[in-house]
Amino acid sequence: MISKHHVVQKILKNHNNLNYFSTASAFAPANIALCKYWGKRDAELNLPYHSSFSLSLGKLGVQTTISFAQEDHDIIISNNQMIAQETEFAQRIIEFLNLIRPNKHTYFQIQSTANIPIAAGLASSAAGFAALVKACNRLFNWRLDKQELSILARLGSGSACRSLWHGFVEWHAGLAHDGMDSYGEPFTVQWPELRIAILIVSSQPKNISSRQAMKLASDSPFYHCWLTKVETDLTAIKRNILNQEFLLFGRTVEENALAMHALIQTSWPPIQYTLPATLAAIQKIWQAREQGLALFFTQDAGANLQLLFLQQDTLQVQALFPTAQIIAPFLNVP
Ligand code: 2P0
């Protein structure tokens, strides 16, 4: 098995220089998968069985500052709160810092602020690791390109490799054992009228992490069907974006989410992220669609939904879901 350390060494081989800055900051957007990543061929390197495709959330994401700590341990501060070392959150960051530490006596202070609704359970780890990798690139003056940064971010969290860009991003699964061909790539089509809304139906923490749940994925009797479906959906989603065919696009995205949840529900032990409140919202969406509203949803590994619609239907969506936070992912982003 190839280790994360091996991959980091390979990427940084010709990029080590001694001109460190004392502090560096970076922002990365959160991303919502439109064609989901579910199942790993290599759990150490977060290498997926299949490619996936996402939409970044514009200004919603994580801002991270990294500096050298005077203490003899790393200091992790998230949303102005010191995070205890033994928490899973801190451990995942420390494990990542271990990969890039110039020597074992160098420690860091990581200060991150997320402007994503915490309760949404949105992949803040994706934005967090992408922002951390970008900040490290500045701190150490590595001058890595975005593809290399995407690979480094993936080592922290799979979906983080898609958070290096705004807009649509495809994560190529790749075939190589060391994952050097598994990274994000922007799909550079703009869709300014597209809207995505975050609908929080429950702020309860989920009872199983996606990392844990994903380990069971290939035990589902439907895993091989999922692999076929993802391939078809990914091609269709890209075609629908190119043609700006919203009805076909929305349908494919929603089908893909439903298929992922069918997969999750048929793993063993079975997992259910959908709550009664999720189902009530889904039924409301389906009813509105029957009455002619072009509204679709996607659902990550959690109870909350993300709604997809076009600018022209904003008022109707607001009336149906007054608490949803609406994002225009292609407007006012650098
Ligand atoms: C995705 N999810 O494509 C899928 C869909 C959730 C549902 O990627 O173990 O935090 O760090 O590679 O990326 C969430 O899992 O998992 C995720 P790791 P990650 O966005």
Side-chain angles (χ1 to χ4, degrees), residues 22-295:
S22 58
T23 180
S25 297
F27 170 83
N31 76 77
I32 298 293
L34 304 176
C35 187
K36 311 288 188 190
Y37 145 53
W38 202 256
K40 302 184 194 194
R41 64 184 159 91
D42 183 325
E44 161 79 3
L45 303 179
N46 292 330
L47 293 176
Y49 281 113
H50 59 82
S51 299
S52 58
F53 191 89
S54 62
L55 176 58
S56 290
L57 293 186
K59 289 178 195 153
L60 291 195
V62 174
Q63 174 81 29
T64 293
T65 300
I66 180 169
S67 48
F68 293 98
Q70 304 305 319
E71 291 76 355
D72 60 355
H73 56 88
D74 296 316
I75 296 170
I76 319 278
I77 301 166
S78 173
N79 288 346
N80 295 322
Q81 281 199 325
M82 185 85 86
I83 307 295
Q85 299 259 321
E86 55 280 6
T87 58
E88 196 194 325
F89 181 84
Q91 282 302 314
R92 277 181 72 178
I93 295 171
I94 293 168
E95 190 196 320
F96 185 83
L97 295 174
N98 289 340
L99 297 171
I100 53 130
R101 238 180 264 290
N103 64 63
K104 62 181 182 184
H105 303 296
T106 303
Y107 295 99
F108 301 100
Q109 174 166 311
I110 308 293
Q111 190 153 12
S112 66
T113 312
N115 62 3
I116 318 162
I118 296 285
L122 286 176
S124 57
S125 67
F129 276 109
L132 178 58
V133 163
K134 283 169 81 175
C136 290
N137 189 41
R138 289 178 185 159
L139 185 85
F140 292 112
N141 208 6
W142 287 331
R143 298 165 196 229
L144 296 175
D145 63 31
K146 279 200 162 177
Q147 194 171 302
E148 292 165 317
L149 294 176
S150 176
I151 293 174
L152 287 183
R154 168 173 51 73
L155 299 179
S157 179
S159 51
C161 77
R162 301 185 307 232
S163 270
L164 269 296
W165 297 269
H166 285 289
F168 296 117
V169 180
E170 179 170 359
W171 171 7
H172 301 286
L175 293 169
H177 291 305
D178 62 3
M180 293 304 285
D181 55 357
S182 184
Y183 46 76
E185 183 189 14
F187 185 72
T188 53
V189 180
Q190 303 274 311
W191 199 343
E193 301 80 22
L194 189 64
R195 297 291 179 269
I196 186 160
I198 301 166
L199 181 66
I200 297 172
V201 300
S202 164
S203 40
Q204 298 279 326
K206 52 187 174 189
N207 49 19
I208 177 161
S209 70
S210 30
R211 182 160 288 195
Q212 286 300 111
M214 226 187 273
K215 281 189 189 156
L216 312 173
S218 51
D219 294 345
S220 162
F222 302 123
Y223 198 71
H224 66 285
C225 305
W226 167 250
L227 292 178
T228 311
K229 172 132 188 74
V230 165
E231 204 177 326
T232 318
D233 288 350
L234 188 53
T235 307
I237 287 171
K238 288 194 282 188
R239 188 176 55 240
N240 302 154
I241 293 171
L242 280 169
N243 298 336
Q244 312 257 292
E245 283 198 86
F246 182 72
L247 293 179
L248 290 175
F249 167 78
R251 174 185 166 161
T252 314
V253 170
E254 187 171 307
E255 266 190 20
N256 186 269
L258 288 166
M260 183 190 76
H261 283 271
L263 190 66
I264 292 173
Q265 287 159 18
T266 50
S267 303
W268 197 264
I271 298 163
Q272 181 64 271
Y273 286 115
T274 301
L275 294 175
T278 319
L279 212 45
I282 290 176
Q283 278 166 342
K284 208 163 146 183
I285 292 165
W286 286 344
Q287 268 171 14
R289 212 155 64 217
E290 266 174 33
Q291 289 161 13
L293 184 64
L295 174 64

